[in-house]
Amino acid sequence: MQKNNPISSNKNTQKTWGERKRFLTGVKPSGEVHIGNYFGAINPCIELSNNSNNEVILMCVDWHGLTNKSEIFRPGELTQSLIATYLALGFNYKENSIILQSDFKQIQENSWYLSCATAAGMLERSHAYKDAIANGKSPTAGLLFYPSLMASDILTFDAQFVPVGKDQAQHLEYASDMAKFFNNLVDVEVYTEPQPIIQEIPSLLGIDGERKMSKSYNNTLPIFATKKELEKRVKEIKTDSKGLDDPKNPETCAIFQIFKSFASSDALLYMHDRLEKGIGYGYGHAKKDFVDEHEKVFGTLREKFEYFNNSEQEIRNCLKIGYEKAQNYADSVTKRAREALGLKSYL
Ligand code: AMP
Ligand code: TRP
């Protein structure tokens, strides 16, 4: 394509940032949220949103929930509980934004521009697509284009930093590469190459004491479980056979390892000390302390969650605030792309 694009020096290529660093991350609506999600993804995002130097855009990626038809096909039904979770846990949505992917048609538009600047072979080499083929599945075209859609989620909003888990590293490389491919083709800095912030948080152990906490292993503790439900699940946490008065090692004790992800420092010190000394403190006591602390930390938040989860109006207000801010970014980026491509509407 042309090397001397007439808009190379055009002011319209100006980016949309203000004073704050812009972070964007996407979360798939996937039902019940567990302590592993809280520890590995939700809490770090909420902390970012409470730093006034940052602008955090949290996107509920409902379109991505459609790429694997055997898993879930009505992702919209899970949107409200996902957003209610972030609100209850303290995401600062007034200073930042929570947005819904399917509210932004510009994402589809930019996804197409990015796909047209990218070799099909690159998408065929993406981990998720290759794994699906290797496992004898017949992936949808949606899964093939998953990386283009994710790149567009990021690039449509001029995001500078993208916090994700290690499993998303390849998708982030693709987003940067696609931005580069497109910019080189049109010879204009339309899209901003994002920087991944790969979170090196170790996986939280599940209640089987063996594998990471995950819905697919059925070894989770839901954050908003009632005290009764939690007691039942906590009873199942695997322990060794040490008796009431034996000294126990907190580092190999699954109860303590999971407890570490949410307990206050006082509660942690207390349990650590009692386990090590052992005397009169068995695993049953540790489990009871676990449930009490969970109730202290998440009990009042559960009420908030239920409030938001039952109030469509609150969710609408929150999404409206996000939409209004983010719409300007998306329009401005999409305008840059259209101009660089010489696309013009005659309406
Ligand atoms: P999932 O719903 O399993 O796709 O998880 C969403 C995000 O939650 C992941 O990208 C991780 O960042 C985080 N996560 C899930 N399970 C764990 C775990 N056991 N330990 C730490 N982080 C987790
Ligand atoms: N693929 C991500 C995941 O499975 C979710 C996601 C979609 C995302 N779009 C994004 C993450 C944009 C960060 C930025 O976790």
Side-chain angles (χ1 to χ4, degrees), residues 30 34 36-37 39-41 202-204 212-213:
S30 63
H34 57 74
N37 299 136
F39 171 69
S203 290
L204 186 71
K212 74 166 199 169
M213 190 176 283

Side-chain angles (χ1 to χ4, degrees), residues 197-210:
I197 312 267
I198 306 287
Q199 289 170 334
E200 300 290 344
I201 302 173
S203 290
L204 186 71
L205 200 62
I207 60 171
D208 54 5
E210 281 167 18

Side-chain angles (χ1 to χ4, degrees), residues 308-326:
F308 288 123
N309 199 27
N310 290 311
S311 168
E312 209 172 302
Q313 188 55 41
E314 289 281 0
I315 304 296
R316 193 173 300 123
N317 285 346
C318 157
L319 285 176
K320 229 173 141 202
I321 293 175
Y323 180 81
E324 273 155 22
K325 269 188 270 179

Side-chain angles (χ1 to χ4, degrees), residues 151 154-155 158-162 172 175-177 179 191-196:
I154 299 165
L155 304 178
D158 262 345
Q160 296 164 293
F161 303 98
V162 185
L172 263 290
S176 276
D177 286 347
Y191 297 119
T192 303
E193 279 178 51
Q195 282 184 42

Side-chain angles (χ1 to χ4, degrees), residues 3 31 114 121 150 203 216 227 278 296 301 306 313:
K3 260 291 142 221
L114 293 162
M150 178 159 162
S203 290
S216 38
K227 191 168 178 195
K296 243 197 232 162
L301 302 179
E306 268 152 21
Q313 188 55 41

Side-chain angles (χ1 to χ4, degrees), residues 45 51 73 77-78 96 111 135 157 175 179 183 221 257 264 318:
C45 178
N51 177 338
F73 217 66
E77 286 169 5
L78 300 172
N96 299 277
S111 173
N135 292 326
F157 299 92
N183 292 346
L221 293 175
Q257 289 311 306
S264 69
C318 157

Side-chain angles (χ1 to χ4, degrees), residues 70 97 108 116 120 130 141 323 345:
S70 62
S97 321
Q108 290 294 348
C116 290
K130 265 182 27 187
Y323 180 81
S345 167

